[in-house]
RNA sequence: UGGGGCGUCGCCAAGCUGGUCUAAGGCACCGGAUUUUGAUUCCGGCAUUCCUAGGUUCGAAUCCUAGCGCCCCAGCCA
């Protein structure tokens, strides 16, 4: 960790409170190796917020030579589905190359959890409450008033045990009873006022089927899951901070009873990711899919990992992002530009360059013979000769970008306009000699001695450099341009959709794109794109200081 | 209102066993150099100030006290 080396800042992992905590635990010998876990509930697709957690947990494990489990927190059969399990495994595999694809399930520990419940009952630490949900709520008290004990709170361990067994055996209706911890109804921390441990719920579980009719609550199940897996550092988000006293209470009781061994897992909370212009509420995400605002969970505009993948965002970019934003307990909003910058940075290194004219305008080179053609040579990457070259056919009629021509140029515009010279990138320098408003054709003459790669190439200096595609050789393709789904900077509640989040264009491409089997490509002067289905999707634009200046 | 957290540049975020802090780094922004992508790269600028007010100290972003602000908790959800 060379946090102080500014040259390596971007790759260097910087200090944060969880790393320090782990280092202290390792140094003191409290744990000999670390073990973390990523515990999603399979009730939706993974999103950008989960990426932070996944990368934190798997990243820390890798960094300190430990391991990390993917574990499904499947304790509520009413909301969980196999489809989500599958998509989650898929996304984690994509994001984390070292992940072996093996998943663990809380539901595999149901027997042990139940055994722990019986122990808590017999040791007087839990009881069966038969109040209605409404009474329980009323008797919990509020922020100012302590709760009052349930009339069932003093049932004997024997009575509690037989009731608990009857609950498990299905002798009681849903909601008739609930198992609660016996802690204190007067605790200033409401989470400690005898929290519910088990509820009766006749629902078919996606893995255990109808074997159970009682299911453990998250509060109760999670600490046990961690302990069973010998997790050392259980990382979760800030809203679980108030739950930590119960987490520790439970684990210590079970350890006292010999059901668990030390060292016990430690819960550590950090701030969840909030990204500007991105909405990460599962409820709203589901709504976007159901309302068909987007084309499914993996729509490239969706902030899901499945969507990010189709959009062309890369795992490496995510890794840089996670490292860059750090980890803290500060409730913060990360600017979307940080995310985009991480992706650009990675894509710049790996993407081959190609020409694509997105908004075509015809250019005719009057002094170039009809029927003649040449092959221009162009590197696949300006700084990586090892990535090779390709050739681009050149002819008299070309497609150029509409925005690369202005009949009446605005100040500082140095692209094509009548009388101005510009280089056709990797080709010739041309001079614009006219524009026909009726046919919409720009005419120019080329300077034969200025061909790229020849000795005369630099005989004429020009400021502008534009890309082009030969009309006769052009390939046609659909290009999808995505923009943010939400207009608001911090879309927390209801959604405020951007009507222009998807634009489809008919573009002209240089022929070498036809058989290209590329993960990511840069269309020069436009941005990074990914080949998706029968066209290309724009992942992210290039930085554009001209656009910023014109704004 | 009781409890739990958090407050360092427009946005993140180091720093927190007090001095090397007239406070790192990134994003954004503003210059300028190089450039056959108005891209990349490079160089420079960007908090005498660390929520506020007191205090301790030779010395405080770092310690103490009192305020102020924001977030979370009253599901048989996670």
């Amino acid at each position: 960790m060379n946090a102080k080396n500014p040259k390596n800042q971007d790759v260097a992992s910087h200090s944060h409170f969880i790393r320090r905590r782990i280092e202290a635990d390792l140094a003191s010998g409290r744990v000999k190796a670390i073990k973390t876990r990523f515990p999603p509930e399979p009730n939706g697709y993974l999103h950008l917020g989960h990426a932070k957690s996944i990368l934190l947990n798997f990243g820390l494990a890798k960094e300190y030579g430990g391991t990390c489990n993917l574990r499904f927190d499947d304790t509520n059969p009413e909301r969980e589905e196999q489809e989500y399990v599958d998509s989650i495994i898929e996304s984690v595999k994509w994001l984390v190359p070292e992940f072996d694809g093996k998943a663990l399930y809380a539901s595999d520990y149901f027997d042990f959890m139940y055994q722990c419940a019986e122990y808590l009952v017999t040791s007087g630490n839990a009881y069966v409450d038969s109040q209605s949900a409404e009474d329980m709520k009323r008797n919990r008290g509020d922020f100012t008033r302590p709760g009052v004990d349930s009339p069932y709170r003093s049932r004997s361990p024997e009575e509690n045990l037989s009731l608990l067994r009857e609950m498990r055996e299905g002798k009681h209706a849903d909601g008739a009873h609930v198992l609660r911890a016996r802690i204190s109804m007067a605790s200033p921390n409401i989470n400690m006022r005898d929290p519910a441990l088990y509820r009766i719920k006749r629902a078919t579980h996606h893995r255990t089927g109808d074997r159970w009719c009682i299911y453990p609550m998250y509060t109760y199940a999670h600490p046990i899951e961690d302990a069973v897996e010998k997790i050392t550092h259980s990382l979760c988000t800030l809203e679980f901070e108030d739950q930590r006293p119960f987490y520790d209470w439970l684990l210590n009781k079970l350890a006292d009873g010999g059901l668990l061994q030390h060292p016990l897992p430690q819960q550590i909370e950090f701030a969840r990711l909030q990204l500007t212009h991105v909405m990460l509420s599962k409820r709203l995400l589901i709504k976007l899919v159901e309302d068909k605002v987007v084309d499914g969970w993996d729509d490239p505009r969706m902030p899901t990992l499945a969507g990010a993948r189709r959009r062309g965002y890369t795992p490496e970019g995510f890794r840089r992002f996670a490292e860059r934003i750090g980890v803290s307990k500060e409730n913060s909003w990360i600017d979307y530009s940080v995310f985009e910058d991480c992706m650009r940075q990675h894509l710049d290194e790996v993407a081959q360059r190609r020409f694509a004219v997105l908004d075509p305008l015809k250019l005719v080179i009057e002094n170039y013979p009809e029927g003649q053609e040449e092959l221009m040579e162009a590197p696949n990457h300006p700084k990586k000769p090892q990535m090779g070259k390709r050739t681009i056919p050149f002819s008299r009629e070309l497609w150029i970008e509409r925005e690369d021509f202005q009949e009446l140029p605005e100040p500082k515009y140095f692209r094509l306009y009548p009388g101005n010279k510009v280089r056709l990138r990797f080709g010739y320098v041309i001079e614009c000699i006219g524009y026909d408003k009726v046919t919409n054709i720009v005419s120019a003459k080329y300077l034969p001695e200025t061909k790229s790669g020849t000795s005369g190439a630099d005989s004429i200096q020009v400021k502008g450099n534009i890309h082009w595609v030969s009309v006769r050789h052009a390939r046609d393709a659909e290009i999808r341009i995505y923009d943010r789904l939400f207009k608001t900077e911090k879309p927390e509640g209801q959604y405020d959709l951007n009507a222009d989040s998807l634009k489809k264009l008919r573009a002209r491409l240089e022929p070498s794109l036809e058989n290209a089997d590329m993960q990511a490509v840069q269309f020069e002067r436009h941005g990074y794109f990914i080949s998706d289905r029968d066209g290309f999707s724009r992942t992210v634009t290039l930085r554009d200081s001209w656009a910023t200046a014109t704004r």
Side-chain angles (χ1 to χ4, degrees):
Chain A
M1 262 135 291
N2 43 355
K4 287 295 185 283
N5 184 344
K7 282 291 174 204
N8 294 328
Q9 191 56 41
D10 237 40
V11 281
S13 46
H14 60 258
S15 164
H16 66 236
F17 76 106
I18 299 179
R19 281 208 244 256
R20 279 201 301 282
R21 177 88 174 261
I22 289 172
E23 282 160 20
D25 285 342
L26 253 16
S28 74
R30 190 184 76 75
V31 301
K32 55 203 179 323
I34 71 158
K35 191 157 184 188
T36 56
R37 106 266 91 117
F38 171 64
E41 181 187 14
N43 69 342
Y45 278 61
L46 258 23
H47 56 58
L48 269 30
H50 294 114
K52 175 181 180 182
S53 179
I54 293 168
L55 264 7
L56 215 213
N57 279 293
F58 279 93
L60 251 17
K62 188 176 181 192
E63 187 177 336
Y64 292 98
T67 53
C68 178
N69 294 344
L70 166 64
R71 178 180 72 225
F72 287 100
D73 221 333
D74 55 349
T75 58
N76 185 355
E78 283 172 348
R79 333 201 299 178
E80 298 152 7
E81 291 172 28
Q82 189 59 40
E83 178 198 347
Y84 296 131
V85 169
D86 299 338
S87 78
I88 289 171
I89 292 176
E90 182 86 4
S91 290
V92 177
K93 270 195 200 159
W94 174 69
L95 238 204
V96 184
E98 66 267 25
F99 172 57
D100 59 11
K102 278 208 211 86
L104 301 176
Y105 297 84
S107 51
D108 284 343
Y109 315 141
F110 280 174
D111 285 310
F112 180 64
M113 288 177 191
Y114 179 77
Q115 184 191 339
C116 291
E118 287 207 347
Y119 166 74
L120 291 175
V121 163
T122 53
S123 59
N125 288 300
Y127 63 98
V128 173
D129 194 355
S130 310
Q131 293 182 101
S132 66
E134 304 75 64
D135 285 344
M136 252 183 82
K137 179 184 170 68
R138 189 171 325 112
N139 290 333
R140 186 151 29 228
D142 58 28
F143 295 153
T144 35
R145 264 170 258 287
V148 320
D149 287 2
S150 162
Y152 306 98
R153 197 173 195 266
S154 51
R155 291 211 254 233
S156 69
E158 296 71 32
E159 189 185 354
N160 281 321
L161 186 59
S162 66
L163 240 22
L164 174 60
R165 288 181 173 165
E166 287 173 21
M167 282 167 64
R168 184 190 56 170
E169 286 156 14
K171 295 194 173 148
H172 298 281
D174 285 15
H177 309 284
V178 47
L179 183 73
R180 300 179 75 177
R182 180 186 276 116
I183 304 177
S184 163
M185 289 307 290
S187 172
N189 178 352
I190 293 184
N191 298 287
M192 292 296 269
R193 320 243 258 231
D194 292 7
L197 272 27
Y198 266 96
R199 74 286 214 184
I200 304 174
K201 191 190 284 270
R202 267 161 260 258
T204 303
H205 188 280
H206 66 103
R207 296 190 74 244
T208 60
D210 295 319
R211 223 171 68 225
W212 296 87
C213 65
I214 58 171
Y215 290 94
M217 301 285 292
Y218 161 86
T219 317
Y220 171 74
H222 206 89
I224 297 178
E225 296 160 24
D226 285 342
V228 166
E229 294 176 13
K230 303 237 176 285
I231 300 303
T232 55
H233 301 264
S234 176
L235 314 181
C236 63
T237 44
L238 257 25
E239 68 270 26
F240 295 104
E241 215 151 16
D242 293 335
Q243 218 104 249
R244 192 171 68 232
F246 177 76
Y247 187 101
D248 293 335
W249 178 92
L250 211 216
L251 260 24
N252 281 300
K253 290 290 180 210
L254 296 177
D256 290 348
L259 287 153
L260 260 28
Q261 287 76 45
H262 289 272
L264 265 10
Q266 305 279 300
Q267 177 179 303
I268 303 172
E269 312 83 12
F270 64 94
R272 62 155 20 96
L273 171 69
Q274 298 185 99
L275 252 193
T276 59
H277 300 289
V278 175
M279 211 266 317
L280 298 176
S281 134
K282 264 185 195 173
R283 205 190 96 245
L284 274 280
L285 255 27
I286 288 173
K287 192 168 156 51
L288 289 174
V289 173
E290 285 176 350
D291 292 355
K292 302 214 186 292
V293 169
V294 294
D295 186 24
W297 286 99
D298 66 346
D299 184 300
R301 291 166 294 176
M302 284 289 271
T304 52
L305 294 183
R309 181 180 189 172
R310 272 193 62 199
R311 175 68 172 263
Y313 292 138
T314 64
E316 173 60 26
F318 270 99
R319 237 163 275 134
R320 294 177 193 218
F321 176 66
E323 192 51 54
R324 197 124 121 190
I325 62 176
V327 183
S328 76
K329 300 187 74 156
E330 173 94 31
N331 230 299
S332 57
W333 284 84
I334 309 291
D335 211 285
Y336 200 72
S337 65
V338 177
F339 180 77
E340 288 194 317
D341 186 70
C342 292
M343 295 301 166
R344 275 195 196 104
Q345 219 177 66
H346 173 55
L347 260 9
D348 175 56
E349 290 170 13
V350 299
Q352 291 205 7
R353 314 290 135 125
R354 289 294 184 276
F355 283 174
V357 174
L358 268 36
D359 187 9
L361 177 66
K362 193 175 276 186
L363 171 79
V364 176
I365 302 170
E366 306 288 355
N367 60 340
Y368 196 86
E370 204 114 22
Q372 179 173 320
E373 59 182 74
E374 289 175 74
L375 286 178
M376 302 303 185
E377 199 168 65
N380 288 326
H381 190 111
K383 289 182 178 169
K384 298 188 173 181
Q386 68 274 25
M387 282 174 76
K389 297 174 179 174
R390 88 276 186 189
T391 60
I392 311 172
F394 182 87
S395 66
R396 176 180 160 94
E397 295 194 356
L398 308 174
W399 292 117
I400 62 168
E401 212 66 64
R402 190 171 303 274
E403 61 174 26
D404 285 339
F405 171 77
Q406 285 187 3
E407 194 174 9
L408 296 163
E410 60 188 300
K412 292 188 177 168
Y413 185 81
F414 55 65
R415 274 115 92 156
L416 211 55
Y417 55 86
N420 193 228
K421 292 190 191 67
V422 92
R423 172 172 296 279
L424 292 173
R425 190 155 157 82
F426 304 129
Y428 297 99
V429 169
I430 57 167
E431 178 176 350
C432 179
I433 54 178
Y435 172 60
D436 186 325
K437 280 188 171 64
V438 180
T439 56
N440 248 291
I441 291 175
V442 178
S443 46
K445 63 180 185 202
Y446 84 115
L447 282 47
E449 72 281 10
T450 61
K451 182 173 179 175
S452 282
T454 65
S455 53
D458 296 324
S459 56
I460 300 213
Q461 293 295 327
V462 291
K463 195 104 202 294
N465 217 301
I466 68 174
H467 59 93
W468 48 273
V469 170
S470 161
V471 171
R472 196 181 338 147
H473 308 269
R475 300 297 190 268
D476 225 56
E478 179 178 279
I479 303 273
R480 287 158 228 125
I481 302 293
Y482 299 105
D483 195 2
R484 49 185 54 129
L485 215 36
F486 298 94
K487 287 189 280 194
T488 358
E489 189 182 18
K490 298 179 177 180
E492 288 170 286
Q494 210 38 260
Y495 56 62
D496 152 43
L497 295 168
N498 171 12
D500 296 320
S501 61
L502 168 60
K503 280 196 208 108
K504 293 182 178 179
L505 268 37
R506 231 34 239 190
R508 306 295 142 84
L509 315 177
E510 61 165 274
S512 74
L513 234 11
E514 192 175 51
N515 48 1
D517 173 31
M518 286 179 287
Q519 268 309 294
V521 59
Q522 182 198 95
F523 288 158
E524 294 210 13
R525 308 207 300 135
H526 284 300
Y528 298 97
F529 290 73
I530 183 165
S531 144
D532 181 39
R533 305 195 173 166
D534 54 348
F536 288 87
S537 289
R538 186 173 73 190
T539 306
V540 60
T541 62
L542 249 29
R543 266 212 198 86
D544 188 350
S545 57
W546 171 241
T548 342
T550 347
R551 245 194 261 127

